[in-house]
Amino acid sequence: QVQLVESGGGLVQTGGSLRLSCVVSGGDFSDYVMGWYRQAPGKQRELVARIFTGGTTTYEDSVKDRFIISRDNAKNTLYLQMDSLKPEDTAVYFCNTIRWSGTKWNVPGDYWGQGTQVTVSS
């Protein structure tokens, strides 16, 4: 069973930056496609960034050019550098593995961590 521990959230002003971390245990991290998700109050959880085993990255349009996802396989750790933060980025951020659905890499793993709260004040 994969275990995920997110950290690094906090309260920042508009335009500020945060770096989230996610330590992964219970498997071979280097074999996993990984993603950062977020869930704002009253909204569904959404995938905002994804990184493949070879390092290729994809981003949801609203965070493109502001967020950078990266991984350190030696440390079993996933990162999300968030710059130019906006109030609409306020959410609980989660990391998870991503599985192949048969047509896309978009199925999250079965287990979630506790997430880390990001709050951006205007």
Side-chain angles (χ1 to χ4, degrees):
Q1 176 179 333
V2 174
Q3 295 183 322
L4 309 146
V5 179
E6 302 93 342
S7 63
L11 172 64
V12 295
Q13 292 185 331
T14 296
S17 298
L18 285 172
R19 189 192 195 205
L20 306 184
S21 299
C22 168
V23 178
V24 181
S25 60
D28 192 340
F29 177 72
S30 64
D31 286 342
Y32 297 138
V33 178
M34 295 295 302
W36 281 101
Y37 295 77
R38 67 184 179 189
Q39 187 166 20
K43 295 188 177 182
Q44 288 190 333
R45 195 170 300 184
E46 63 174 348
L47 177 65
V48 297
R50 175 174 48 196
I51 185 166
F52 291 86
T53 56
T56 300
T57 58
T58 64
Y59 299 92
E60 193 267 332
D61 285 347
S62 68
V63 307
K64 205 171 292 184
D65 299 325
R66 299 188 298 120
F67 290 10
I68 298 175
I69 186 172
S70 62
R71 64 193 301 161
D72 185 335
N73 290 339
K75 295 182 179 180
N76 290 353
T77 302
L78 181 74
Y79 301 101
L80 186 68
Q81 177 66 42
M82 305 188 296
D83 297 322
S84 303
L85 283 161
K86 305 175 181 180
E88 49 264 44
D89 295 318
T90 295
V92 180
Y93 284 72
F94 303 86
C95 64
N96 209 336
T97 59
I98 299 177
R99 298 193 302 246
W100 178 248
S101 71
T103 56
K104 299 179 183 179
W105 286 98
N106 65 350
V107 178
D110 294 332
Y111 302 99
W112 295 88
Q114 82 288 349
T116 186
Q117 175 71 49
V118 171
T119 303
V120 185
S121 64
S122 57

